[in-house]
Amino acid sequence: MTKTIVIAERDNIACVIEDKKVSEFFVHKGDVLLNDVFLSKVENILPSIDAAFVDVGIGKMGFLHADDIIGKGTLKEKTSPNAKLMVQVVKEPTGHKGPRVTTSISLPGRFLVLMPFETGVNVSKKIESSQERARLKSIVSLMKPVGVGVIIRTEAQDQTETDIQDDLNILLEKWNDIIVAAEHNDAPSLLYRDQDLLYRVIREVCTEDVDEIIVDTSFAQNRANQLLQTWNMDKNIQITQYKGKEPLLINKGIDKEIKVALQTKVNLKSGGYLFIQTTEALTVIDVNSGKFTSSATQDETIFKTNIESVHEIARQLKLRNIGGIIVVDFIDMTSRADKVKILEELELVLQNDKAKPQVGQLSDFGLVELTRHRQGQSLLEMFTNKCPNCGGSGHILKEMKFADPNSNAVENPYQSKFSRVKFPKNNTNKQNKKRNNKGKDNINNNVKQQNLPIENNEIKLEELPQNNEIENKIKETEIVVEENNIVETTQNVEEKPKPKAKRTAKKRSTKKIAENAITKESEENKPQIEQQTQTEEKPVVVETQNTENETTPKPKKTRKPRKTKKEQAQTQVQSQLVEG
């Protein structure tokens, strides 16, 4: 595996390239940087949250928790308003939040970390040899001043006593400079800032497995050689000065790597992909199989995708400098053995991360929670600005127009299309009423004009056909109104007996004989007319009553006289004569 360090001092950006991929960025920009030491002034004390806010002179108040203040007692006993405190930045400002500070100051070196307000000597856990741990601890305990604490870093392993003494002397000189600056400056003011980008990157990243360091100035090349000689690391590392016409970051493709690292979607070699969404509270990483279908079974496809995503997630966390709570949504796995392998692989790849991530358990839904210590600003915060229109949410509120009570409701933009459709008005009921009224008017006129001829309290049978036509019209109009234009036949109506005419005592005459002949003809047509007259006779009586109440007196009903045998014989003779 090849490892190269690219340091662009002109741009204050550096990166580490492993196997032709960028694994970590270093950006030395901003008003407040990690490990800066300030002389601050206490502005406000809030016992409700057990913290104080201090002014460090950058426009945003620093957050100082009671546990980060050296001393015993309550918050009010440790400090007071307007008090001067020497604080160090442990978390750079993000968004609307100010920096988080502490009074426990630490000055990192190549082999040691000086803790001026602590006591004792501690050794890094990564040094496993007990004999080496004892040797280093004894050396440092004899050379350190009384009243200060020292942490022995992993890089001190197998180093000589002289190299460790030189590194301690440099740290002690820095602390003396800070004490002098605090005595001569007023709060708030900056007392100390960590070394430049070149010193910081070589101190933190440069190890024996580094093959080359590329810088963009001759001054940076000389300083890099001096640092490597001081730390006895100049044997296998090649230092190269870039002399091209275009910027170093563009020539090495670092600018493209930065743009890719800022995207939400991260593609995997197998065809799967990751979705990384960062919010104020936490970061969510979603694993998807995508186009990866080369495995024989579904379980194998899911397992291979999750394993590949584990290595890419570890790389993205360092590359983007993501801190805080992180939730990873792996593809659901049915096998318990596969779940155990995923967790073991995740812990292995995160061992070399200096941010000390802590991995939780895998839930039933395939979710893994882990935490990572924040180290400065994330890549998204350093290289992006919030949109002035949406404020970083990605959404712009539409202009809301509400309907005016005095305006037409159809013009309301929030009204659904269906409610704005104009349907034709249902005028069938009105048309039926008009037809009914016209029919009744015509019937009433016909009834008024045609007074039924009454002679000797008898209704002539020859008028029945005309009355039946009137009754049929009345019945048709009533059916249209009541049954909504459904035509009904008069066959379903129950048959009612025909009222009989009254018997008269008058003598027969030639006129009566003619009438009998007419009645015989009507009797022949009786099967066709009888049903209509029987079913519709009652409405006729009602209508005639209603219309004649105003004009003529109500006629009395008469029964038809019964015929004797002689009269029946005479009618037959008369009919034969008429036919002859």
Side-chain angles (χ1 to χ4, degrees):
M1 181 181 67
T2 59
K3 187 175 181 180
T4 305
I5 299 176
V6 178
I7 303 174
E9 279 201 328
R10 294 174 179 175
D11 299 315
N12 284 328
I13 297 175
C15 66
V16 180
I17 302 176
E18 297 179 358
D19 292 335
K20 299 181 180 180
K21 285 186 177 180
V22 178
S23 61
E24 191 173 2
F25 282 106
F26 294 89
V27 182
H28 204 74
K29 292 181 179 180
D31 296 332
V32 179
L33 299 178
L34 195 66
N35 296 327
D36 285 353
V37 179
F38 290 91
L39 181 62
S40 64
K41 180 180 179 181
V42 179
E43 291 290 337
N44 194 8
I45 297 176
L46 300 177
S48 59
I49 60 175
D50 202 20
F53 287 94
V54 297
D55 184 12
V56 295
I58 61 171
K60 293 181 179 180
M61 293 295 174
F63 179 80
L64 178 63
H65 196 267
D67 295 337
D68 296 328
I69 302 176
I70 299 174
K72 297 181 180 180
T74 62
L75 178 64
K76 291 184 177 180
E77 293 175 353
K78 292 180 180 180
T79 186
S80 60
N82 298 323
K84 294 182 180 181
L85 292 177
M86 187 184 299
V87 296
Q88 186 177 27
V89 177
V90 295
K91 180 181 176 182
E92 295 180 0
T94 58
H96 61 279
K97 294 182 179 180
R100 181 166 183 170
V101 297
T102 180
T103 58
S104 179
I105 297 174
S106 61
L107 301 177
R110 174 63 181 174
F111 306 123
L112 305 175
V113 177
L114 181 64
M115 309 287 289
F117 298 110
E118 301 290 339
T119 58
V121 178
N122 296 319
V123 184
S124 173
K125 295 180 180 180
K126 293 183 179 181
I127 301 176
E128 298 177 355
S129 175
S130 58
Q131 185 177 357
E132 182 66 17
R133 291 173 63 91
R135 185 184 75 87
L136 294 173
K137 189 172 184 179
S138 61
I139 292 174
V140 174
S141 298
L142 293 174
M143 67 176 60
K144 79 176 185 65
V146 179
V148 297
V150 176
I151 297 175
I152 302 173
R153 303 184 63 181
T154 308
E155 288 77 6
Q157 187 174 1
D158 298 331
Q159 298 295 328
T160 63
E161 183 177 354
T162 305
D163 295 335
I164 296 174
Q165 182 68 52
D166 293 340
D167 192 53
L168 180 60
N169 293 334
I170 295 173
L171 296 177
L172 292 174
E173 289 179 3
K174 291 181 180 179
W175 174 242
N176 292 330
D177 294 339
I178 293 173
I179 295 297
V180 173
E183 293 176 353
H184 293 83
N185 293 329
D186 296 332
S189 61
L190 176 64
L191 301 179
Y192 166 78
R193 171 160 287 181
D194 199 0
Q195 295 288 344
D196 55 7
L197 180 64
L198 179 68
Y199 180 87
R200 177 188 170 191
V201 172
I202 295 177
R203 183 190 66 194
E204 299 293 335
V205 180
C206 189
T207 56
E208 294 179 356
D209 58 348
V210 175
D211 299 322
E212 184 181 9
I213 298 176
I214 302 175
V215 295
D216 57 350
T217 61
S218 59
F219 178 74
Q221 184 179 12
N222 295 330
R223 290 191 63 244
N225 286 322
Q226 292 177 0
L227 290 174
L228 293 179
Q229 290 176 1
T230 303
W231 295 332
N232 298 324
M233 298 176 61
D234 58 338
K235 296 179 180 179
N236 300 322
I237 299 176
Q238 181 181 358
I239 300 176
T240 306
Q241 179 185 355
Y242 173 73
K243 297 181 180 180
K245 294 182 179 179
E246 58 183 0
L248 174 61
L249 298 179
I250 295 177
N251 182 266
K252 299 299 180 181
I254 307 301
D255 58 333
K256 295 180 181 179
E257 292 288 341
I258 294 174
K259 293 179 181 179
V260 172
L262 296 176
Q263 293 180 0
T264 304
K265 185 177 180 181
V266 179
N267 294 318
L268 302 177
K269 289 183 178 180
S270 62
Y273 57 91
L274 305 177
F275 264 114
I276 303 176
Q277 292 283 350
T278 302
T279 63
E280 185 72 19
L282 52 84
T283 300
V284 180
I285 302 176
D286 184 27
V287 182
N288 298 275
S289 59
K291 300 179 181 179
F292 181 48
T293 57
S294 60
S295 299
T297 61
Q298 182 180 2
D299 293 339
E300 185 180 355
T301 301
I302 293 173
F303 179 73
K304 288 183 178 180
T305 305
N306 287 337
I307 285 292
E308 185 182 6
S309 64
V310 164
H311 293 272
E312 186 62 28
I313 288 171
R315 173 177 170 266
Q316 291 293 328
L317 292 179
K318 291 177 62 178
L319 185 66
R320 303 181 183 222
N321 197 19
I322 298 174
I325 300 174
I326 303 163
V327 178
V328 183
D329 183 11
F330 288 103
I331 304 174
D332 294 339
M333 295 171 289
T334 58
S335 174
R336 179 175 177 82
D338 292 344
K339 295 180 180 180
V340 173
K341 291 179 181 178
I342 292 297
L343 285 178
E344 291 177 352
E345 190 70 19
L346 183 60
E347 291 179 354
L348 287 175
V349 296
L350 293 176
Q351 281 183 352
N352 298 325
D353 193 347
K354 295 181 179 180
K356 300 177 182 179
Q358 296 180 356
V359 182
Q361 295 181 352
L362 181 66
S363 67
D364 296 336
F365 302 102
L367 301 178
V368 175
E369 296 180 1
L370 58 99
T371 59
R372 190 172 184 270
H373 181 66
R374 293 184 183 271
Q375 291 184 332
Q377 292 182 334
S378 65
L379 197 69
L380 187 67
E381 294 171 339
M382 288 187 290
F383 289 100
T384 60
N385 293 322
K386 287 186 177 181
C387 175
N389 296 324
C390 66
S393 65
H395 303 278
I396 298 176
L397 185 64
K398 292 183 179 179
E399 184 180 359
M400 293 183 290
K401 296 181 180 180
F402 298 101
D404 188 359
N406 299 325
S407 64
N408 188 4
V410 179
E411 298 176 356
N412 186 3
Y414 296 99
Q415 192 176 14
S416 62
K417 294 182 179 179
F418 182 78
S419 61
R420 295 200 296 266
V421 174
K422 294 182 179 180
F423 291 97
K425 295 182 179 179
N426 190 1
N427 297 327
T428 55
N429 293 332
K430 293 183 179 180
Q431 294 176 358
N432 291 335
K433 289 180 181 180
K434 290 180 181 180
R435 291 176 183 175
N436 189 17
N437 294 332
K438 289 182 180 179
K440 287 184 178 180
D441 294 340
N442 295 332
I443 292 168
N444 293 333
N445 294 332
N446 292 333
V447 172
K448 290 179 181 180
Q449 293 176 1
Q450 298 176 359
N451 293 327
L452 294 176
I454 301 173
E455 290 183 5
N456 299 326
N457 296 328
E458 292 184 358
I459 300 175
K460 291 184 179 182
L461 295 177
E462 61 184 3
E463 300 294 335
L464 290 176
Q466 184 176 2
N467 292 336
N468 290 336
E469 293 177 0
I470 297 171
E471 292 170 359
N472 290 334
K473 292 181 179 180
I474 295 173
K475 189 64 179 178
E476 289 176 0
T477 55
E478 291 178 352
I479 292 172
V480 169
V481 175
E482 295 176 358
E483 301 297 332
N484 293 329
N485 297 330
I486 299 175
V487 179
E488 296 183 356
T489 60
T490 58
Q491 295 179 0
N492 297 329
V493 184
E494 298 180 355
E495 294 182 1
K496 295 182 180 180
K498 181 179 179 182
K500 296 181 181 180
K502 291 184 179 181
R503 183 181 295 177
T504 58
K506 289 187 178 183
K507 296 180 180 181
R508 292 184 293 109
S509 61
T510 56
K511 185 176 180 180
K512 188 68 176 178
I513 293 169
E515 291 177 356
N516 291 333
I518 295 170
T519 55
K520 184 178 181 180
E521 293 179 358
S522 62
E523 287 177 357
E524 294 177 357
N525 298 327
K526 184 176 180 180
Q528 299 177 358
I529 303 173
E530 185 177 5
Q531 188 174 359
Q532 297 179 359
T533 56
Q534 288 176 357
T535 56
E536 299 173 359
E537 185 173 1
K538 187 175 180 178
V540 173
V541 174
V542 175
E543 294 294 337
T544 54
Q545 288 178 357
N546 295 334
T547 55
E548 290 178 358
N549 285 334
E550 299 176 359
T551 57
T552 60
K554 180 179 180 182
K556 294 181 180 180
K557 294 182 180 180
T558 58
R559 293 183 180 179
K560 184 178 180 181
R562 293 182 179 178
K563 293 182 181 182
T564 61
K565 294 181 179 180
K566 291 182 180 181
E567 291 176 349
Q568 292 177 359
Q570 289 177 0
T571 54
Q572 291 178 0
V573 173
Q574 290 177 359
S575 62
Q576 292 177 359
L577 291 174
V578 173
E579 292 176 358

